[in-house]
Amino acid sequence: MVMATKYYIGFDIGSDSVHTIALNEEGKMVYSPTSLMHFGNQIAALREAYDDLIKILGEENIKAVAFTGTAGKLIAETTDSPFYYDSISIPAGAEIIASGAEYIFHMGASNPYFFERVVEKDGGRAFVADHGTGTKCGGGSGILINKQIRRFFAEDFPIKVEDPDSRANLQEKELIKRGNRRKLQQQLEHMHEKALASILSSSKDLDVGGRCGVIIQSDMIHMQNSGEQIPNILKGMYRRVAKNYKSDVVRTRILDKRKQAIATGGVFLNENMVNMLSKELGLEITWPTSFEKIGAAGAALKALKEKRESGFKPADLDKVLEAQKKEIHFAPRLSSALNKIHVYPEEKAIAKTEGGLIIYKKLSSLTGVVIGVDGGSTTTKALIADAADLGIIAEICLDTNGRPLETAQEMFREIRQHLGSYLKIQGIAYTGSSGAFYYKLFTDFRKAPSIASADMIKDEITCHAYGVRRFNKRVDTIFECGGQDAKFTLFNKDGTVKKAKMNLSCMAGTGQSMK
């Protein structure tokens, strides 16, 4: 009687994706499906990956299921399955992915690694002679790259949901609940493809500075708000990630150009990233087949060599969810503090256009107005006020999407289309991270010196103070969290600013870091 082949499964539950590899009893890779992005719901993605797996291999033929990755330990412990740390599974996986590899340069969504393998001659054993890990907070990871690519290109790839009962603008969590994870993944993959094409069209090299992820993002925001083009900014970001990897992970090691080097981890799915790292390190780096799944391959191989078995059952994943909840400490509901919040009524709008312009006052004749423009890192706003009494006529708020110039043009186009024939602009004030860029862009400096311009640029703290005190003199404190800056302003009784503080270069804790 011929015994059925048994399989050893490796799951790498990373910060971004679930990677799957299946080995047979001879240690040969027999199954390597496309990795599934989990969008924060690792359990659901793991269920989906396992369901696909057993359709191909049969659940009765699975000998062991082993785990690695940032979320793998809790799952392994809860389901009575073997677990291996990345520092073990990644170099072990090289035996499956690229047995002759001597250097492994690994960049995952969260953690970067470097391994130097020594492979004994005549098919002998391989061991790790040296290794390094990163210390920067996201300055060389896929999370940083994914976030910025989504910020720049998400608008170009709207998600179309086939479910007739769903809304076209469903949030990601709702889409995941409806089983549309693959649609989200396909959307993000399209963004990465567009990013690669965008970088290839870049026209100059930018030095995007930063010792950590939030400062890199901050520098990118300042560049885009000063008018730099997206292809150049993206190219600068990738180069910075490569430089950070070299300085933080490889460090002062002297690499031998003759040794076989491979790139592993999901970040290297972008060909541009491999080329930039090759240039930084001065050696040729290749991509072996299934290179992004090296951790999963290593976990499966370790389980095979150790002759491990597991009691993994999909039903046990419900226990993982309960275990995760027990580890989370919840703060009181925000609703418990509603009695301390004062909501001041706003004027009732009389019309709202499809382009986002909200109109509060109907104009029947030419009216002198002043306009305030706040060019923010995540949104761009404009308010039109009657020059006679500063009564609000209209306002508009649009997502910047990394395109401050195009967003401002769209905003002014909408204003002109619906109100242009009634507005006599007497002055425009600019503020925000794009304020200086807009002032230079839209102010006519060709006027004779004798003609004083009413256009100006002002810092946000001054604008906040004037704006808040103009419409509500009772306010004595402002807590403001923008896309790029966080500010605290305290007023004297006469309305002058008594104290003001804001964050410096790091934007952790602001709107941009949460998008």
Side-chain angles (χ1 to χ4, degrees):
M1 179 178 179
V2 178
M3 297 294 292
T5 300
K6 295 296 182 181
Y7 301 103
Y8 290 81
I9 313 302
F11 284 117
D12 181 358
I13 315 296
S15 302
D16 178 83
S17 302
V18 173
H19 306 284
T20 309
I21 286 282
L23 307 179
N24 62 20
E25 293 172 296
E26 286 75 43
K28 303 297 183 182
M29 184 168 57
V30 296
Y31 183 65
S32 176
T34 301
S35 299
L36 287 179
M37 295 179 185
H38 54 64
F39 300 97
N41 194 337
Q42 298 97 329
I43 301 302
L46 176 58
R47 285 185 194 275
E48 189 173 335
Y50 188 76
D51 287 344
D52 291 342
L53 176 91
I54 61 178
K55 289 177 184 177
I56 302 296
L57 304 179
E59 190 168 19
E60 69 281 2
N61 296 323
I62 295 174
K63 183 76 171 181
V65 177
F67 292 90
T68 188
T70 54
K73 188 174 183 180
L74 180 61
I75 296 174
E77 291 174 347
T78 309
T79 60
D80 189 26
S81 302
F83 169 79
Y84 304 95
Y85 288 101
D86 290 341
S87 55
I88 295 174
S89 62
I90 292 173
E95 188 172 331
I96 302 298
I97 301 299
S99 59
E102 295 168 281
Y103 290 147
I104 302 173
F105 302 108
H106 183 88
M107 281 197 210
S110 180
N111 299 315
Y113 296 97
F114 163 74
F115 298 96
E116 181 179 0
R117 294 173 76 236
V118 174
V119 183
E120 294 182 344
K121 295 180 179 180
D122 301 323
R125 70 187 185 94
F127 61 90
V128 175
D130 189 16
H131 77 283
T133 59
T135 60
K136 290 179 174 55
C137 56
S141 70
I143 290 176
L144 166 69
I145 294 172
N146 276 348
K147 180 178 177 182
Q148 293 307 305
I149 286 175
R150 292 171 76 174
R151 182 167 67 85
F152 285 129
F153 300 117
E155 191 178 57
D156 298 332
F157 298 99
I159 300 172
K160 296 180 180 180
V161 183
E162 297 174 359
D163 184 350
D165 297 325
S166 62
R167 302 185 305 276
N169 62 343
L170 281 171
Q171 297 298 312
E172 287 183 359
K173 287 184 179 179
E174 289 299 317
L175 285 169
I176 291 169
K177 289 178 182 178
R178 292 169 181 261
N180 286 286
R181 185 182 302 100
R182 293 183 188 271
K183 289 187 177 67
L184 287 169
Q185 179 164 339
Q186 186 179 40
Q187 184 204 43
L188 189 54
E189 288 171 352
H190 287 325
M191 292 182 209
H192 278 276
E193 291 169 3
K194 184 162 186 177
L196 177 57
S198 178
I199 291 170
L200 294 176
S201 69
S202 62
S203 58
K204 68 178 183 179
D205 294 331
L206 295 176
D207 184 15
V208 176
R211 284 192 52 79
C212 75
V214 290
I215 295 180
I216 291 173
Q217 293 176 84
S218 181
D219 208 28
M220 293 173 68
I221 292 291
H222 287 303
M223 287 180 174
Q224 83 174 45
N225 289 340
S226 66
E228 292 287 359
Q229 296 300 303
I230 289 176
N232 300 329
I233 296 174
L234 278 175
K235 182 179 179 181
M237 176 189 68
Y238 277 101
R239 178 170 284 110
R240 171 51 54 190
V241 171
K243 287 182 176 180
N244 279 353
Y245 183 92
K246 178 181 178 181
S247 64
D248 193 43
V249 182
V250 178
R251 301 184 188 179
T252 59
R253 293 176 175 88
I254 299 175
L255 303 177
D256 188 342
K257 295 181 180 180
R258 297 169 298 177
K259 291 189 175 182
Q260 181 180 342
I262 63 170
T264 64
V267 172
F268 290 117
L269 287 167
N270 187 308
E271 179 181 348
N272 182 72
M273 189 70 247
V274 182
N275 294 334
M276 285 193 173
L277 186 63
S278 295
K279 185 176 180 180
E280 284 295 324
L281 298 179
L283 52 88
E284 183 181 356
I285 303 175
T286 61
W287 307 270
T289 302
S290 299
F291 65 89
E292 75 278 15
K293 308 183 188 75
I294 191 169
L301 183 62
K302 291 293 291 183
L304 169 61
K305 287 188 173 183
E306 295 174 2
K307 299 180 179 180
R308 299 285 299 273
E309 295 186 11
S310 68
F312 179 83
K313 295 181 179 60
D316 291 339
L317 292 176
D318 293 330
K319 298 178 183 178
V320 178
L321 293 174
E322 292 302 318
Q324 287 177 329
K325 290 178 182 178
K326 290 179 181 179
E327 291 187 353
I328 300 174
H329 300 284
F330 293 93
R333 292 177 180 271
L334 290 175
S335 59
S336 64
L338 285 177
N339 62 325
K340 299 179 181 179
I341 297 176
H342 299 281
V343 179
Y344 296 95
E346 298 183 356
E347 292 187 47
K348 187 176 181 181
I350 61 173
K352 182 175 181 180
T353 70
E354 291 184 2
L357 182 66
I358 302 174
I359 302 173
Y360 295 96
K361 182 180 178 181
K362 184 177 181 180
L363 300 179
S364 56
S365 60
L366 192 64
T367 303
V369 300
V370 290
I371 299 177
V373 177
D374 181 1
S377 55
T378 56
T379 56
T380 299
K381 290 80 66 178
L383 184 141
I384 305 169
D386 194 317
D389 59 5
L390 292 184
I392 299 176
I393 295 173
E395 66 180 18
I396 186 170
C397 177
L398 301 178
D399 289 334
T400 305
N401 289 320
R403 302 175 176 86
L405 171 58
E406 292 83 352
T407 304
Q409 290 173 328
E410 182 181 348
M411 185 175 68
F412 284 127
R413 189 181 302 116
E414 190 72 11
I415 293 172
R416 181 176 60 186
Q417 179 181 344
H418 296 278
L419 297 173
S421 58
Y422 298 106
L423 302 182
K424 182 180 181 181
I425 301 174
Q426 298 183 355
I428 299 181
Y430 302 95
T431 191
S433 54
S434 291
F437 173 57
Y438 288 156
Y439 178 69
K440 293 177 183 177
L441 190 66
F442 297 121
T443 302
D444 187 357
F445 293 102
R446 297 172 299 175
K447 293 181 179 179
S450 59
I451 302 176
S453 172
D455 296 346
M456 65 180 68
I457 178 173
K458 288 291 182 181
D459 65 273
E460 290 177 84
I461 291 175
T462 300
C463 292
H464 288 166
Y466 271 95
V468 170
R469 295 288 297 185
R470 168 68 178 80
F471 293 101
N472 193 328
K473 296 185 182 299
R474 294 176 58 192
V475 175
D476 58 13
T477 309
I478 302 174
F479 298 95
E480 196 266 348
C481 185
Q484 179 77 358
D485 303 318
K487 308 174 198 68
F488 166 79
T489 308
L490 184 65
F491 298 112
N492 291 307
K493 290 184 178 180
D494 63 357
T496 58
V497 175
K498 179 179 181 179
K499 185 178 183 180
K501 285 186 174 293
M502 66 179 292
N503 61 328
L504 300 176
S505 61
C506 182
M507 65 179 187
T510 63
Q512 187 56 232
S513 65
M514 294 184 284
K515 277 187 73 69

